[in-house]
């Protein structure tokens, strides 16, 4: 009996618990015969769990008055009651911030700053860091043992030559990387590094929209997760780690210097 072809979309639907029940038996049979894909689905489910753990508490926080005020005209136009208006403002809070409305508030004083580039770059990088660095078995999509393939693949997908910095003099070694969806500007790359005690840092690289201004180093922090981020030409970069600002800044300087050499 020939097993029906299973699409990537069906595997994602299974991980997200939205797969139609009539397809489940076929998918389960497929995964029993393909342990690598079964491991991928398990990793996606764990990532979903971590995202929920990170962002579900935001829905329990009080909605800022500024967002309630922003939602008020919509409520008036559509005859909403106040509870509905609060719910609408909460939706704005979570989704307009890319699931991280209050994550990385360090440099942002208002909603416009929080949603504008380049802070949005830092926010997306922090979310990706929080999701993937805790992974034990699948922290990266392509390991460092295939570094040449990894660099070629990510460079091709981003349409720009990438070169992951060498951070071994600072105690961090590249362990691999992955391709991630961007915020409307195409895919982004994430390179992950690790030092001897297991601490990890990530470099998030995105192709920026034409016309965005270059920026000097900026820093933002939420709890113990810090991010240095900047835009250089057509590329945006964000270095994330749970390190003191001075220590992370030293690494960011080294990253910037190496990237400049390869421009």
């Amino acid at each position: 009996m020939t097993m029906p072809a299973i699409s990537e979309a069906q595997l994602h639907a299974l991980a997200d618990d939205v797969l139609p029940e009539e397809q489940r038996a076929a998918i389960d049979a497929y995964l029993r015969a393909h342990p690598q894909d079964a491991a991928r689905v398990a990793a996606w489910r764990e990532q979903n769990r971590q995202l929920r753990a990170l962002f579900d508490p935001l829905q329990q926080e009080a909605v800022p008055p500024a967002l309630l005020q922003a939602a008020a005209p919509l409520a008036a136009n559509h005859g909403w009651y106040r509870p509905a208006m609060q719910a609408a403002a909460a939706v704005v809070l979570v989704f307009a911030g890319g699931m991280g409305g209050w994550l990385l508030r360090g440099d942002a004083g208002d909603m416009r700053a929080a949603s504008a580039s380049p802070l949005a770059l830092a926010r997306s990088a922090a979310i990706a860091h929080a999701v993937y660095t805790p992974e034990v078995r699948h922290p990266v999509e392509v390991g460092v043992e295939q570094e040449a393939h990894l660099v070629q693949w990510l460079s091709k997908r981003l349409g720009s030559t990438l070169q992951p910095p060498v951070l071994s003099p600072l105690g961090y070694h590249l362990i691999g990387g992955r391709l991630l969806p961007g915020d409307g500007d195409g895919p982004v790359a994430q390179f992950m590094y690790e030092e001897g005690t297991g601490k990890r840092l990530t470099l998030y690289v995105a192709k920026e929209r034409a016309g965005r201004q270059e920026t000097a180093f900026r820093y933002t922090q939420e709890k113990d997760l810090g991010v240095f981020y900047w835009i250089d030409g057509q590329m945006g970069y964000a270095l994330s780690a749970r390190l003191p600002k001075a220590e992370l800044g030293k690494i960011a300087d080294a990253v910037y210097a190496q990237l400049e050499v390869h421009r």
Side-chain angles (χ1 to χ4, degrees), residues 30 45 98 140 170:
Y30 172 85
R45 282 175 166 161
V140 296
L170 297 171

Side-chain angles (χ1 to χ4, degrees), residues 11-240:
L11 296 181
H12 278 288
L14 177 65
D16 295 336
D17 294 324
V18 295
L19 183 73
E21 190 62 35
E22 61 271 18
Q23 298 181 23
R24 189 171 295 273
I27 303 294
D28 288 343
Y30 172 85
L31 293 179
R32 286 193 294 270
H34 297 81
Q36 288 186 335
D37 282 337
R40 291 170 65 205
V41 171
W44 293 337
R45 282 175 166 161
E46 175 60 17
Q47 291 158 15
N48 288 341
R49 185 195 67 76
Q50 292 177 15
L51 281 171
R52 286 193 296 269
L54 279 169
F55 300 118
D56 280 359
L58 291 177
Q59 300 183 48
Q60 307 304 320
E61 296 186 17
V63 179
L67 284 176
L68 286 174
Q69 183 177 358
L74 292 174
N77 290 339
H78 293 84
W80 296 346
Y81 292 100
R82 183 169 180 82
M85 185 174 71
Q86 289 182 308
V91 169
V92 171
L93 173 69
V94 175
F95 288 103
M99 292 198 308
W102 289 345
L103 187 66
L104 301 175
R105 286 169 285 184
D107 291 76
D110 56 30
M111 190 64 182
R112 290 172 299 176
S115 63
S117 180
L119 185 59
L121 173 76
R123 184 180 58 240
S124 297
I127 292 172
H129 179 94
V131 170
Y132 292 108
T133 54
E135 289 283 346
V136 176
R137 296 183 60 184
H138 304 283
V140 296
E141 195 169 359
V142 179
V144 69
E145 65 278 1
Q146 301 181 61
E147 182 175 353
H149 164 66
L150 171 68
V151 172
Q152 182 181 24
W153 172 52
L154 294 178
S155 296
K156 181 178 180 180
R157 293 302 305 272
L158 268 69
S160 182
T161 301
L162 304 182
Q163 186 63 48
V166 177
L167 301 179
S168 50
L170 297 171
Y172 285 85
H173 300 271
L174 182 70
I175 63 173
R178 65 173 64 244
L179 188 72
L180 297 172
D183 295 331
D185 293 344
V188 300
Q190 183 194 61
F191 294 103
M192 189 177 297
Y193 296 79
E194 187 176 76
E195 54 92 74
T197 65
K199 291 181 181 178
R200 289 173 173 174
L201 62 83
T202 56
L203 177 64
Y204 188 90
V205 185
K207 192 76 171 286
E208 292 296 305
R209 292 191 186 98
R212 286 184 179 170
Q213 296 181 350
E214 295 185 9
T215 65
F217 275 155
R218 295 184 182 181
Y219 178 77
T220 190
Q221 180 177 354
E222 176 70 14
K223 297 183 179 178
D224 60 345
L225 178 59
V227 183
F228 274 97
Y229 59 103
W230 66 99
I231 294 175
D232 191 359
Q234 293 185 330
M235 307 302 294
Y237 304 93
L239 187 71
S240 309

